[in-house]
Amino acid sequence: MKEGNLEAAVADVVEVLQFEQWMRFYFLVEEGEKLRLEVPESMAARVEEKSSHLAGLLQQMNHGLIDPQKSQEAVCGFVGENIEGVKHSPYLVPAVFDSKQFKLEMYLFNLWLKAYEEGFDTEQDKGFDEWRELYAAWRATDQVKQYVRELESAPAPAVGDPCSRTVQ
C-alpha cells in the first residue's frame, strides 16, 4: 500500500469518477421514467482488456436501474473497496475529495465533457480508453495549460466529498 501520495490518489479516484461518467454518458437506457445502465458485452470485454482495474464497477452497475444515489453509492463503494486502504492509505483517500487538485481535475473534466458532448453523442462506440486519451490530449494543449495555471492561483471551489453522508 502506498502512503501519502496525494497526487496518485487523486488520479485514481478521478479515474473512477470519469469511468462512471463514461458509462452513464453512453449506456443509459430509458425505461419509462427510470434509467438502466446497459453496457454491451463487446464494450464490457474491451473494458476488461484495456482497464481491467475498473471492470468490477462496470459489473456492479451494468444491467441495473440507476439514479444519482445508486450511482454515488456504487462509486464510493468501489473506491472504498479498491483504492482506500488497498492502493492508498485509508487516511489519504478522504483528503482527496477536499484537495484542490481533485476539485480542479473534476472541474476540467466536466468542462471538457460539456465542450465536446455533442460530438460524443454521435460516437457510440468510443471506449473509455479513447475517452481518457482524448481528455489527456485536450489537457495537454497550451490553452488548457494556461487556464490551469490561472485556476491554480485562484482559491479552490467548494465541491465537497461525494462519498460523505453529511450535507455540506
Coordinates of all heavy atoms in Angstrom, one line a residue, residues 34-89:
K34 N -37.6 5.5 -15.6 CA -36.4 5.0 -15.0 C -35.3 4.9 -16.0 O -35.5 4.9 -17.2 CB -36.7 3.7 -14.3 CG -37.7 3.8 -13.2 CD -38.0 2.5 -12.5 CE -39.0 2.8 -11.4 NZ -39.2 1.6 -10.6
L35 N -34.1 4.8 -15.5 CA -32.9 4.7 -16.3 C -32.2 3.4 -15.9 O -32.1 3.1 -14.7 CB -31.9 5.9 -16.1 CG -32.5 7.2 -16.5 CD1 -31.5 8.3 -16.1 CD2 -32.7 7.3 -18.0
R36 N -31.7 2.7 -16.9 CA -31.0 1.4 -16.7 C -29.6 1.6 -17.4 O -29.6 2.1 -18.5 CB -31.8 0.2 -17.3 CG -31.0 -1.1 -17.1 CD -31.9 -2.2 -17.7 NE -33.1 -2.4 -16.9 CZ -33.3 -3.0 -15.8 NH1 -32.2 -3.5 -15.1 NH2 -34.5 -3.1 -15.2
L37 N -28.6 1.0 -16.8 CA -27.3 1.0 -17.4 C -27.1 -0.3 -18.2 O -27.3 -1.4 -17.6 CB -26.2 1.2 -16.4 CG -24.8 1.4 -16.9 CD1 -24.7 2.7 -17.6 CD2 -23.8 1.3 -15.8
E38 N -26.9 -0.2 -19.5 CA -26.8 -1.4 -20.4 C -25.5 -1.3 -21.2 O -25.5 -0.8 -22.4 CB -28.0 -1.5 -21.3 CG -29.3 -1.9 -20.6 CD -29.3 -3.2 -19.9 OE1 -28.5 -4.1 -20.4 OE2 -30.1 -3.5 -19.0
V39 N -24.4 -1.7 -20.7 CA -23.1 -1.7 -21.4 C -23.1 -3.1 -22.2 O -23.2 -4.1 -21.6 CB -21.9 -1.7 -20.5 CG1 -20.6 -1.7 -21.3 CG2 -22.0 -0.4 -19.6
P40 N -23.0 -3.0 -23.5 CA -22.9 -4.2 -24.3 C -21.7 -5.1 -24.0 O -20.7 -4.6 -23.5 CB -22.8 -3.7 -25.8 CG -23.0 -2.3 -25.7 CD -22.8 -1.8 -24.3
E41 N -21.9 -6.4 -24.2 CA -20.8 -7.3 -23.9 C -19.5 -7.0 -24.6 O -18.4 -7.2 -24.0 CB -21.3 -8.8 -24.2 CG -22.3 -9.3 -23.2 CD -21.9 -9.2 -21.8 OE1 -20.8 -9.6 -21.4 OE2 -22.8 -8.8 -21.0
S42 N -19.6 -6.5 -25.8 CA -18.4 -6.2 -26.6 C -17.6 -5.1 -25.9 O -16.4 -5.1 -25.8 CB -18.7 -5.8 -28.0 OG -19.6 -4.7 -28.0
M43 N -18.3 -4.1 -25.3 CA -17.7 -3.0 -24.7 C -17.2 -3.4 -23.3 O -16.1 -3.0 -22.8 CB -18.6 -1.8 -24.6 CG -17.9 -0.5 -24.1 SD -16.5 0.0 -25.2 CE -17.4 0.7 -26.6
A44 N -18.0 -4.3 -22.6 CA -17.5 -4.8 -21.3 C -16.2 -5.6 -21.5 O -15.3 -5.5 -20.7 CB -18.6 -5.7 -20.7
A45 N -16.1 -6.3 -22.6 CA -14.9 -7.1 -22.9 C -13.7 -6.1 -23.1 O -12.6 -6.4 -22.7 CB -15.1 -8.0 -24.1
R46 N -14.0 -5.0 -23.8 CA -13.0 -4.0 -24.1 C -12.5 -3.4 -22.8 O -11.3 -3.1 -22.6 CB -13.5 -3.0 -25.0 CG -12.5 -1.9 -25.4 CD -13.1 -1.0 -26.5 NE -12.2 0.1 -26.8 CZ -12.5 0.9 -27.7 NH1 -13.5 0.8 -28.5 NH2 -11.6 1.9 -28.0
V47 N -13.4 -3.1 -21.9 CA -13.0 -2.6 -20.6 C -12.2 -3.6 -19.8 O -11.1 -3.2 -19.2 CB -14.3 -2.2 -19.7 CG1 -13.9 -1.9 -18.3 CG2 -15.0 -1.0 -20.3
E48 N -12.6 -4.8 -19.9 CA -11.8 -5.9 -19.2 C -10.4 -5.9 -19.7 O -9.4 -6.1 -19.0 CB -12.5 -7.2 -19.4 CG -11.8 -8.3 -18.6 CD -11.9 -8.2 -17.1 OE1 -13.0 -7.9 -16.6 OE2 -10.8 -8.4 -16.4
E49 N -10.2 -5.7 -21.0 CA -8.9 -5.8 -21.7 C -8.1 -4.5 -21.4 O -6.9 -4.6 -21.1 CB -9.1 -6.0 -23.2 CG -7.8 -5.9 -24.0 CD -8.0 -5.9 -25.5 OE1 -9.1 -6.3 -26.0 OE2 -7.1 -5.5 -26.2
K50 N -8.7 -3.4 -21.6 CA -7.9 -2.1 -21.5 C -7.9 -1.5 -20.1 O -6.9 -0.7 -19.8 CB -8.5 -1.1 -22.5 CG -8.6 -1.6 -23.9 CD -7.4 -1.2 -24.7 CE -7.6 -1.6 -26.1 NZ -6.4 -1.4 -26.9
S51 N -8.9 -1.7 -19.3 CA -9.0 -1.0 -18.0 C -9.5 -2.0 -17.0 O -10.5 -1.8 -16.3 CB -9.9 0.2 -18.1 OG -9.5 1.1 -19.1
S52 N -8.9 -3.2 -16.9 CA -9.4 -4.3 -16.0 C -9.6 -3.9 -14.6 O -10.5 -4.4 -13.9 CB -8.5 -5.5 -16.1 OG -7.2 -5.2 -15.6
H53 N -8.8 -2.9 -14.1 CA -9.0 -2.5 -12.7 C -10.3 -1.8 -12.5 O -10.8 -1.6 -11.3 CB -7.8 -1.6 -12.3 CG -7.7 -0.3 -13.2 ND1 -7.3 -0.4 -14.5 CD2 -8.0 1.0 -12.9 CE1 -7.3 0.9 -15.0 NE2 -7.7 1.7 -14.0
L54 N -11.1 -1.4 -13.5 CA -12.4 -0.8 -13.4 C -13.5 -1.7 -13.7 O -14.7 -1.3 -13.6 CB -12.4 0.5 -14.3 CG -11.4 1.6 -14.0 CD1 -11.4 2.6 -15.1 CD2 -11.7 2.2 -12.7
A55 N -13.2 -2.9 -14.2 CA -14.2 -3.8 -14.7 C -15.2 -4.2 -13.5 O -16.4 -4.4 -13.8 CB -13.6 -5.1 -15.2
G56 N -14.8 -4.2 -12.3 CA -15.7 -4.5 -11.2 C -16.8 -3.5 -11.0 O -17.9 -3.9 -10.7
L57 N -16.5 -2.2 -11.3 CA -17.5 -1.2 -11.2 C -18.5 -1.4 -12.3 O -19.8 -1.3 -12.1 CB -16.9 0.2 -11.2 CG -17.9 1.4 -11.1 CD1 -18.7 1.3 -9.8 CD2 -17.1 2.7 -11.2
L58 N -18.1 -1.7 -13.5 CA -19.0 -2.0 -14.6 C -19.9 -3.2 -14.3 O -21.1 -3.1 -14.5 CB -18.1 -2.2 -15.9 CG -19.0 -2.4 -17.2 CD1 -18.2 -1.9 -18.4 CD2 -19.4 -3.8 -17.4
Q59 N -19.3 -4.2 -13.8 CA -20.1 -5.4 -13.5 C -21.1 -5.1 -12.4 O -22.2 -5.6 -12.5 CB -19.1 -6.5 -13.0 CG -18.3 -7.1 -14.1 CD -17.1 -7.9 -13.6 OE1 -16.9 -8.1 -12.4 NE2 -16.3 -8.5 -14.6
Q60 N -20.7 -4.3 -11.5 CA -21.6 -4.0 -10.4 C -22.8 -3.2 -10.9 O -24.0 -3.4 -10.4 CB -20.9 -3.2 -9.3 CG -21.8 -2.7 -8.1 CD -21.0 -1.9 -7.2 OE1 -19.8 -1.8 -7.2 NE2 -21.7 -1.3 -6.2
M61 N -22.6 -2.2 -11.8 CA -23.6 -1.3 -12.2 C -24.4 -1.8 -13.4 O -25.5 -1.3 -13.7 CB -23.0 0.1 -12.5 CG -22.5 0.7 -11.2 SD -21.7 2.3 -11.6 CE -23.2 3.3 -11.9
N62 N -23.8 -2.6 -14.3 CA -24.4 -3.0 -15.5 C -25.7 -3.7 -15.4 O -25.8 -4.6 -14.5 CB -23.4 -3.8 -16.4 CG -23.7 -3.8 -17.8 OD1 -24.4 -2.9 -18.3 ND2 -23.1 -4.7 -18.5
H63 N -26.6 -3.4 -16.2 CA -28.0 -4.1 -16.2 C -28.9 -3.7 -15.0 O -29.9 -4.3 -14.8 CB -27.9 -5.6 -16.4 CG -27.0 -6.1 -17.5 ND1 -27.3 -5.7 -18.8 CD2 -25.9 -6.8 -17.5 CE1 -26.3 -6.3 -19.6 NE2 -25.5 -6.9 -18.8
G64 N -28.4 -2.7 -14.3 CA -29.2 -2.3 -13.2 C -29.9 -0.9 -13.3 O -29.4 -0.1 -14.1
L65 N -31.0 -0.7 -12.6 CA -31.6 0.7 -12.6 C -30.6 1.6 -11.9 O -29.9 1.2 -11.0 CB -32.9 0.6 -11.9 CG -34.0 -0.1 -12.5 CD1 -35.3 -0.1 -11.7 CD2 -34.3 0.4 -13.9
I66 N -30.6 2.8 -12.4 CA -29.6 3.8 -11.9 C -30.3 5.1 -11.6 O -31.2 5.5 -12.4 CB -28.4 3.9 -12.8 CG1 -27.3 4.7 -12.2 CG2 -28.8 4.5 -14.1 CD1 -26.0 4.6 -13.0
D67 N -29.9 5.7 -10.5 CA -30.3 7.1 -10.2 C -29.0 7.7 -9.5 O -28.1 7.0 -9.3 CB -31.5 7.1 -9.3 CG -31.4 6.4 -8.0 OD1 -30.2 6.4 -7.4 OD2 -32.3 5.8 -7.5
P68 N -29.1 9.0 -9.2 CA -27.9 9.7 -8.6 C -27.4 9.0 -7.3 O -26.2 8.8 -7.1 CB -28.4 11.1 -8.4 CG -29.4 11.3 -9.4 CD -30.1 10.0 -9.6
Q69 N -28.4 8.6 -6.5 CA -28.0 8.0 -5.2 C -27.3 6.6 -5.5 O -26.2 6.3 -4.9 CB -29.2 7.8 -4.3 CG -28.8 7.2 -3.0 CD -29.9 7.1 -2.0 OE1 -31.0 7.7 -2.2 NE2 -29.8 6.3 -1.0
K70 N -27.9 5.8 -6.3 CA -27.3 4.5 -6.6 C -25.9 4.6 -7.3 O -25.0 3.9 -7.0 CB -28.2 3.6 -7.5 CG -29.4 3.1 -6.8 CD -30.3 2.3 -7.7 CE -31.6 1.9 -7.0 NZ -32.5 1.2 -7.9
S71 N -25.8 5.6 -8.1 CA -24.5 5.8 -8.8 C -23.5 6.3 -7.8 O -22.3 5.7 -7.8 CB -24.7 6.9 -9.8 OG -23.6 7.1 -10.6
Q72 N -23.8 7.2 -6.9 CA -22.9 7.6 -5.9 C -22.5 6.5 -4.9 O -21.3 6.3 -4.6 CB -23.5 8.8 -5.1 CG -22.6 9.3 -4.0 CD -23.2 10.4 -3.2 OE1 -24.2 11.0 -3.6 NE2 -22.7 10.7 -2.0
E73 N -23.4 5.7 -4.5 CA -23.1 4.5 -3.7 C -22.2 3.6 -4.3 O -21.3 3.0 -3.7 CB -24.4 3.9 -3.2 CG -25.2 4.7 -2.3 CD -26.6 4.1 -2.0 OE1 -27.0 3.0 -2.6 OE2 -27.4 4.7 -1.2
A74 N -22.4 3.3 -5.6 CA -21.6 2.4 -6.4 C -20.1 2.9 -6.5 O -19.2 2.2 -6.2 CB -22.2 2.1 -7.7
V75 N -20.0 4.1 -6.8 CA -18.7 4.7 -7.0 C -18.0 4.8 -5.6 O -16.8 4.4 -5.5 CB -18.8 6.1 -7.6 CG1 -17.5 6.9 -7.5 CG2 -19.2 6.0 -9.1
C76 N -18.6 5.2 -4.6 CA -18.0 5.3 -3.3 C -17.6 4.0 -2.7 O -16.6 3.8 -2.1 CB -18.9 6.1 -2.3 SG -19.1 7.8 -2.8
G77 N -18.5 3.0 -3.0 CA -18.2 1.6 -2.5 C -17.0 1.1 -3.3 O -16.1 0.4 -2.7
F78 N -16.9 1.3 -4.6 CA -15.8 0.9 -5.4 C -14.5 1.5 -4.9 O -13.5 0.8 -4.8 CB -16.1 1.2 -6.9 CG -15.0 0.6 -7.8 CD1 -15.1 -0.7 -8.2 CD2 -14.0 1.4 -8.2 CE1 -14.1 -1.3 -9.0 CE2 -13.0 0.8 -9.0 CZ -13.1 -0.5 -9.4
V79 N -14.5 2.8 -4.7 CA -13.3 3.5 -4.2 C -12.9 2.9 -2.8 O -11.8 2.6 -2.6 CB -13.6 5.0 -4.1 CG1 -12.5 5.7 -3.3 CG2 -13.7 5.6 -5.5
G80 N -13.9 2.7 -2.0 CA -13.6 2.1 -0.6 C -13.0 0.7 -0.7 O -12.2 0.4 0.1
E81 N -13.5 -0.1 -1.6 CA -13.1 -1.5 -1.7 C -11.8 -1.7 -2.5 O -11.1 -2.6 -2.3 CB -14.2 -2.3 -2.4 CG -15.4 -2.5 -1.5 CD -16.6 -3.1 -2.3 OE1 -16.4 -3.6 -3.4 OE2 -17.7 -3.1 -1.7
N82 N -11.5 -0.8 -3.5 CA -10.4 -1.0 -4.4 C -9.3 0.1 -4.3 O -8.2 -0.2 -4.9 CB -10.9 -1.0 -5.8 CG -11.9 -2.1 -6.0 OD1 -11.5 -3.3 -6.3 ND2 -13.2 -1.9 -6.0
I83 N -9.5 1.2 -3.7 CA -8.5 2.2 -3.6 C -8.1 2.5 -2.1 O -7.0 2.5 -1.8 CB -8.9 3.5 -4.3 CG1 -9.1 3.1 -5.8 CG2 -7.9 4.6 -4.1 CD1 -9.6 4.2 -6.7
E84 N -9.1 2.8 -1.3 CA -8.9 3.2 0.1 C -8.4 2.1 0.9 O -9.1 1.1 1.1 CB -10.2 3.8 0.6 CG -10.1 4.4 2.0 CD -11.3 5.1 2.5 OE1 -12.4 4.9 1.9 OE2 -11.3 5.8 3.4
G85 N -7.2 2.2 1.4 CA -6.6 1.1 2.2 C -6.0 0.0 1.4 O -5.4 -0.9 1.9
V86 N -6.2 0.0 0.1 CA -5.7 -1.0 -0.8 C -4.5 -0.5 -1.6 O -3.4 -0.9 -1.5 CB -6.8 -1.6 -1.8 CG1 -6.2 -2.6 -2.8 CG2 -7.9 -2.2 -1.0
K87 N -4.8 0.6 -2.4 CA -3.7 1.3 -3.2 C -3.1 2.5 -2.4 O -2.0 2.8 -2.6 CB -4.3 1.8 -4.5 CG -4.5 0.7 -5.5 CD -5.0 1.3 -6.8 CE -3.8 1.8 -7.6 NZ -4.1 2.3 -8.9
H88 N -4.0 3.1 -1.5 CA -3.5 4.2 -0.8 C -4.0 4.1 0.6 O -4.9 3.4 1.0 CB -4.2 5.5 -1.4 CG -3.8 5.7 -2.9 ND1 -2.6 6.1 -3.3 CD2 -4.5 5.4 -4.0 CE1 -2.5 6.1 -4.6 NE2 -3.7 5.7 -5.1
S89 N -3.3 4.9 1.5 CA -3.6 4.9 2.9 C -5.1 5.2 3.1 O -5.7 6.1 2.4 CB -2.8 6.0 3.6 OG -3.3 6.3 4.9

